[in-house]
Amino acid sequence: MTIRAAVVGGSPLHQQAVDDLLRDEGFQLVHALSRDPVVDADGAPTDATWESLLLDPDIRLIVLCTHTEARVALVRQAAEAGKAVLLQEPAPSPQELAQLRQLTRRDTALIGVMMPFRMAVPAEVRAWTWTATTCATLEVSRSHPFEEFRNPLWFRWGPTRQKRALARILTPYLDLACQLLGEPADTRIQVDDDPGGRAIGLVSFHNGSRLAFAGTTCSAVPSERLSLFDTDARLTVSGNTLVFERMGSRAMREIPPVRVLRGLVYQEIARSIESGTPLRHSTVNASDGLAAVLASFVTLHRTQVHS
């Protein structure tokens, strides 16, 4: 059965969400509201078009592409109207997650997040238990224009455009690390954001493992590499390749393009809508680790990496 959906919000990701749904035969895009709905001080809807979407019984999914501070209020309204919700970037903050978790517990609402790299991790990697001896490293280098980060959408990722750009290029891999290693216990970051953007950091996880990372947005040579090393296993995610080695065996897997991974997120959403079962990978409840790390970018005072 085709699932009728709407895309809502005025962020730069609006058109991407529209294109995603038009490509997916499992969905029918019935409405695209390319602006952020207005709510009053109590979070009640005051936008007639938004209210009409909520009242339409045939719309089962709302893809929310908004930079408004009232994002949680919009999710709440959609969930109370019986709609599934898929949140686009940016990833939810710790404060948003606390409120969204209350919704999922109280109303059994289906709330997902667009984190496509989660779909690249095979079952055998997810099933592996990484121990306190695990040492992980991450390096990401890009040449990233800062101008696009003037948009209010990215403000929650840091006080400067450089920090926002750094947070965005690191996010997919930091999220992967948190999916595999668990919830962070402590995050320490140093950032040099003048004139370019560079960051180094160390994340300590509750299971005893650690992740050291470095990122730059001023490199002419793009690269990304996430590695996890344990006593009996090694995982490397580099470019479009994932390699998992354990106890004498070695498995290599090609990582599909991001466009394909985004499609897998929509397929998971569709299965959950049709079956009434919880999301496995795209659930908002799996985002606490990433939110905790990204919160460090927001609260970080400017610190020079170099001496």
Side-chain angles (χ1 to χ4, degrees), residues 89-232:
E89 293 181 82
S93 66
Q95 294 76 18
E96 285 182 319
L97 283 174
Q99 298 176 67
L100 293 172
R101 187 172 293 105
Q102 291 179 357
L103 284 177
T104 58
R105 289 174 179 171
R106 184 185 63 195
D107 302 320
T108 62
L110 181 61
I111 304 172
V113 291
M114 177 54 77
M115 298 299 298
F117 266 60
R118 294 181 188 176
M119 312 307 291
V121 181
E124 61 269 25
V125 175
R126 287 186 173 276
W128 186 261
T129 300
W130 300 93
T131 70
T133 62
T134 301
C135 177
T137 61
L138 168 63
E139 61 175 54
V140 182
S141 65
R142 302 277 177 81
S143 177
H144 219 301
F146 298 140
E147 291 306 310
E148 66 182 87
F149 294 96
R150 290 182 182 273
N151 190 288
L153 170 68
W154 312 114
F155 283 5
R156 70 184 64 201
W157 275 359
T160 67
R161 288 171 291 158
Q162 289 87 342
K163 288 186 177 69
R164 297 166 204 158
L166 284 164
R168 193 180 191 199
I169 67 171
L170 288 165
T171 284
Y173 300 96
L174 290 173
D175 182 67
L176 275 188
C178 291
Q179 298 302 307
L180 299 173
L181 299 177
E183 193 167 339
D186 181 60
T187 301
R188 301 182 184 183
I189 300 176
Q190 290 181 300
V191 172
D192 177 6
D193 59 6
D194 186 19
R198 293 177 292 174
I200 59 174
L202 177 65
V203 183
S204 301
F205 293 86
H206 283 294
N207 70 348
S209 59
R210 292 191 175 188
L211 166 70
F213 68 86
T216 177
T217 56
C218 53
S219 172
V221 182
S223 67
E224 54 274 327
R225 184 183 183 91
L226 172 66
S227 299
L228 278 69
F229 307 88
D230 204 345
T231 306
D232 300 315

Side-chain angles (χ1 to χ4, degrees), residues 24-40:
D24 197 315
E25 295 180 354
F27 291 90
Q28 179 187 357
L29 178 62
V30 297
H31 198 95
L33 178 61
S34 57
R35 54 183 169 78
D36 289 355
V38 179
V39 299
D40 62 22

